[in-house]
Amino acid sequence: MPLTILSDADIHSLLLSLNRDDIAQLQHNLSEALHDYSTGTQETTVGCSANQPQRIAVPAANNQTTLFMPASTSTSRGIKIVTLATAPVPSREPSVVDSVSSSVSSSVSKLSIDSPRSTSPTPQSPSTTSSKFTINTTSYTPSIASSQSADPSVASSQTTTPRGSLTLLTSSGIPYAFLGAEELTAFRTALASTIILNRRSHVHSITVFGAGKQAVWHIRLALIIRGSEIHHVDIVNRSFARAKKLMHEFYTSPDWEDLRNANPKLAFSIVSSEYGEYQRLLKEHVRKADVIFMCTPSTSPLFPAEYLTSSEGRKKGRYISAIGSYRRHMIEIHPDVLRQAVAPVHKHHHHKHAEKGGVIVVDSLEACLKEAGEIRQADITAEQLVEIGELLMVKKASMKEIEMGTGEGEKGLRKWLISGNVIYKSVGIGMMDVCIGEDLVALAMERGIGTIVEGF
């Protein structure tokens, strides 16, 4: 049987060639697999959660961890083996504070695309320009305090980059594909994260924490899926240089002009803790966001809970996806935000607040209860979690009620998913890799990408 080998470069090239219809089909296939994972039984569904072993984490030297992630679908078996550089586990449980650790005292830098919305640099402001974008910098002075006190997990340039591979086998155990895991992991995570994005009524403003591959693919898929409606993409990252590099990747991608032509109003900005007024800008971008993607391996909250838990913060419905932290000592979103999301609804209040569902959406209930730092620190119980695969099933039933003119679907689940406060927490499950890996191998064979080893 031939063996298909796809390097990370091959996968990157393949993914960049996908159009909106390709993405929709991949997302549909992943949704069905997640549905089987959450609702199938051990006797009837190979891909159900009962048939998916938990991953194994093996500590390595230099603050690295190797993860072994076996999984199966109805047609394939597979195992992903990746090694990640991680921040050291704190000697005590990380304290959860209502403050951001960075303290800065310099001026603000913004990056914007070369569009009608962009501003020209002032004579007093040094600038760097190219044919694709302009960076306007006003009195840039990096903050020494910020660079020395930042969370080591956020400072690490390797933390969110898994080095390793995915091996795929037929149901009878014959190896048929070997894939690089770096690009695949980022893509499949963002593909699952943007399933709910499809349902949202407002996606005008997106705030993204992080500047690694996860951030790239969350932004990219959001633009492909809902690009004509997105006006602002605000990137929050400790390192301005890394965020600038991310922007350059977008501006030099083959389909950038298509993305821009689909939405001439699209504007990007960067907010970095290396610059002054960080706290004010951070609050502004979190509060105005319709969608927040958290793509960092932080060990402390990325912003104070009050930004979202106060009466002002609760007026607006948001979709929040926290996918960067994947171990119990990591945390991106303040536990108080999760506690409020699952708290009982009080009908009689003086302020008008966005709908909340009373649950946190997760990729895997078992894995998140065991490994997600936010879930554990907030003391969230199994009854307060719903798997995204199960939610998709409930949504189908709700939509059927709506079509038939019966039930309360429109006022309940659908309204919450469309415009309420929805939080999605993912730590990653191997089944996602096998499902998407299968599809990418098929696409690669159709398009002549990769290396084929005959008679393997």
Side-chain angles (χ1 to χ4, degrees):
M1 184 173 184
L3 178 75
T4 300
I5 300 175
L6 296 177
S7 66
D8 279 311
D10 291 331
I11 295 173
H12 182 73
S13 175
L14 175 61
L15 294 178
L16 288 182
S17 73
L18 301 180
N19 59 35
R20 185 172 182 175
D21 290 339
D22 295 329
I23 296 296
Q25 185 60 56
L26 289 172
Q27 198 166 62
H28 171 78
N29 295 346
L30 180 59
S31 297
E32 291 298 314
L34 288 166
H35 175 73
D36 289 344
Y37 177 87
S38 297
T39 63
T41 65
Q42 190 169 10
E43 294 75 21
T44 62
T45 310
V46 173
C48 74
S49 59
N51 290 327
Q52 308 291 338
Q54 289 294 301
R55 70 187 182 198
I56 300 172
V58 179
N62 301 320
N63 295 321
Q64 297 200 15
T65 298
T66 299
L67 301 178
F68 295 81
M69 303 172 66
S72 62
T73 65
S74 59
T75 53
S76 295
R77 308 290 181 268
I79 182 166
K80 186 171 79 169
I81 304 174
V82 291
T83 298
L84 305 94
T86 59
V89 178
S91 57
R92 58 180 176 79
E93 285 295 312
S95 60
V96 178
V97 294
D98 263 326
S99 63
V100 180
S101 60
S102 299
S103 175
V104 294
S105 59
S106 52
S107 295
V108 182
S109 175
K110 292 186 179 180
L111 181 152
S112 59
I113 58 177
D114 188 12
S115 69
R117 297 182 62 88
S118 303
T119 56
S120 301
T122 61
Q124 295 80 17
S125 302
S127 66
T128 303
T129 63
S130 78
S131 60
K132 293 293 184 181
F133 62 90
T134 302
I135 302 173
N136 298 328
T137 306
T138 306
S139 305
Y140 166 49
T141 307
S143 169
I144 296 176
S146 175
S147 62
Q148 291 179 341
S149 64
D151 188 327
S153 67
V154 178
S156 171
S157 63
Q158 302 178 10
T159 308
T160 55
T161 305
R163 311 291 187 186
S165 62
L166 169 68
T167 301
L168 295 177
L169 306 92
T170 66
S171 57
S172 58
I174 301 173
Y176 72 87
F178 186 78
L179 298 81
E182 183 177 335
E183 206 77 35
L184 170 68
T185 300
F187 176 75
R188 61 84 156 149
T189 304
L191 197 67
S193 184
T194 51
I195 289 174
I196 293 177
L197 183 72
N198 277 319
R199 277 72 173 173
R200 300 298 292 179
S201 59
H202 293 96
V203 292
H204 302 312
S205 180
I206 295 178
T207 295
V208 182
F209 286 87
K213 286 188 178 294
Q214 294 283 11
V216 169
W217 278 110
H218 276 78
I219 296 171
R220 184 174 179 78
L221 290 183
L223 291 177
I224 291 174
I225 295 169
R226 303 290 297 271
S228 62
E229 304 163 67
I230 297 171
H231 298 165
H232 302 280
V233 176
D234 302 313
I235 301 167
V236 182
N237 194 61
R238 176 184 177 272
S239 167
F240 179 79
R242 287 201 71 199
K244 176 185 172 184
K245 182 179 179 181
L246 179 155
M247 293 308 311
H248 185 264
E249 183 173 340
F250 271 98
Y251 296 140
T252 56
S253 65
D255 60 348
W256 172 245
E257 290 302 323
D258 292 337
L259 292 174
R260 285 284 291 114
N261 290 335
N263 184 4
K265 295 182 179 180
L266 178 62
F268 284 81
S269 73
I270 292 174
V271 177
S272 169
S273 59
E274 294 177 348
Y275 298 85
E277 298 189 44
Y278 174 64
Q279 302 286 355
R280 178 185 65 80
L281 290 170
L282 178 65
K283 183 176 182 179
E284 175 185 317
H285 288 307
V286 169
R287 283 272 178 89
K288 79 174 185 180
D290 299 305
V291 180
I292 300 175
F293 291 131
M294 298 182 176
C295 307
T296 80
S298 182
T299 56
S300 59
L302 296 175
F303 56 83
E306 181 272 334
Y307 288 3
L308 298 183
T309 58
S310 66
S311 291
E312 186 66 27
R314 295 168 65 191
K315 288 181 180 179
K316 182 185 182 77
R318 299 174 185 84
Y319 171 50
I320 302 174
S321 175
I323 58 86
S325 57
Y326 60 94
R327 297 181 67 191
R328 60 182 63 186
H329 73 284
M330 294 177 173
I331 182 169
E332 295 180 283
I333 186 169
H334 199 295
D336 283 352
V337 178
L338 271 64
R339 294 187 186 106
Q340 185 180 80
V342 300
V345 177
H346 298 289
K347 296 295 183 181
H348 304 290
H349 51 70
H350 300 293
H351 304 283
K352 184 177 181 180
H353 296 149
E355 293 282 332
K356 61 180 184 178
V359 293
I360 306 298
V361 184
V362 296
D363 54 353
S364 167
L365 188 149
E366 182 178 2
C368 284
L369 284 173
K370 179 182 178 182
E371 299 174 342
E374 294 95 337
I375 301 295
R376 294 173 64 87
Q377 289 194 36
D379 295 321
I380 301 297
T381 65
E383 292 73 23
Q384 295 168 320
L385 301 177
V386 59
E387 289 182 344
I388 188 170
E390 184 179 1
L391 186 67
L392 292 171
M393 177 187 69
V394 176
K395 180 183 181 298
K396 290 178 182 178
S398 175
M399 292 302 293
K400 186 174 182 179
E401 286 184 350
I402 294 167
E403 292 170 1
M404 296 174 63
T406 61
E408 295 295 319
E410 178 70 37
K411 295 181 180 179
L413 177 65
R414 187 169 182 269
K415 185 176 181 180
W416 169 59
L417 281 175
I418 289 175
S419 59
N421 284 309
V422 180
I423 300 175
Y424 170 68
K425 175 63 195 172
S426 168
V427 295
I429 51 180
M431 182 276 298
M432 294 180 181
D433 299 291
V434 176
C435 173
I436 297 304
E438 287 180 289
D439 287 344
L440 293 186
V441 169
L443 285 170
M445 293 179 68
E446 289 176 7
R447 302 181 185 189
I449 296 175
T451 302
I452 305 296
V453 179
E454 296 290 349
F456 184 83

Coordinates of all heavy atoms in Angstrom, one line a residue, residues 17 95 103 203 291 353 376 386:
S17 N -4.2 26.8 -0.3 CA -5.0 26.6 -1.6 C -6.5 26.4 -1.4 O -7.2 26.4 -2.4 CB -4.4 25.5 -2.4 OG -4.7 24.2 -1.8
S95 N -1.8 32.4 41.3 CA -2.8 33.3 41.9 C -3.5 33.9 40.8 O -3.0 34.3 39.8 CB -2.1 34.3 42.8 OG -1.2 35.1 42.0
S103 N 3.5 46.5 33.4 CA 3.4 47.9 33.8 C 4.3 48.6 32.9 O 5.5 48.4 32.9 CB 3.8 48.0 35.3 OG 3.8 49.4 35.6
V203 N -20.0 39.9 13.9 CA -18.6 39.5 14.0 C -17.8 40.7 13.4 O -16.7 40.5 12.8 CB -18.3 38.3 13.2 CG1 -18.9 37.0 13.8 CG2 -18.8 38.4 11.7
V291 N -16.0 39.0 19.0 CA -15.3 37.7 19.1 C -14.0 37.9 19.7 O -13.2 38.8 19.3 CB -15.2 37.1 17.7 CG1 -14.5 35.7 17.8 CG2 -16.5 37.0 17.0
H353 N -28.7 42.8 30.1 CA -27.5 42.1 29.8 C -27.7 41.1 28.7 O -28.8 40.6 28.4 CB -27.0 41.3 31.0 CG -26.6 42.2 32.2 ND1 -26.7 41.9 33.5 CD2 -26.1 43.5 32.2 CE1 -26.3 42.9 34.3 NE2 -25.9 43.8 33.5
R376 N -10.8 24.1 36.1 CA -10.5 23.6 37.4 C -10.4 24.8 38.4 O -11.0 24.6 39.5 CB -9.1 22.9 37.4 CG -9.1 21.6 36.5 CD -7.7 21.1 36.4 NE -7.2 20.7 37.7 CZ -7.3 19.5 38.2 NH1 -8.1 18.6 37.6 NH2 -6.8 19.2 39.4
V386 N -20.9 21.6 28.3 CA -21.6 20.8 27.2 C -20.6 20.7 26.1 O -19.9 21.7 25.8 CB -22.9 21.6 26.8 CG1 -22.5 23.0 26.3 CG2 -23.5 20.8 25.7

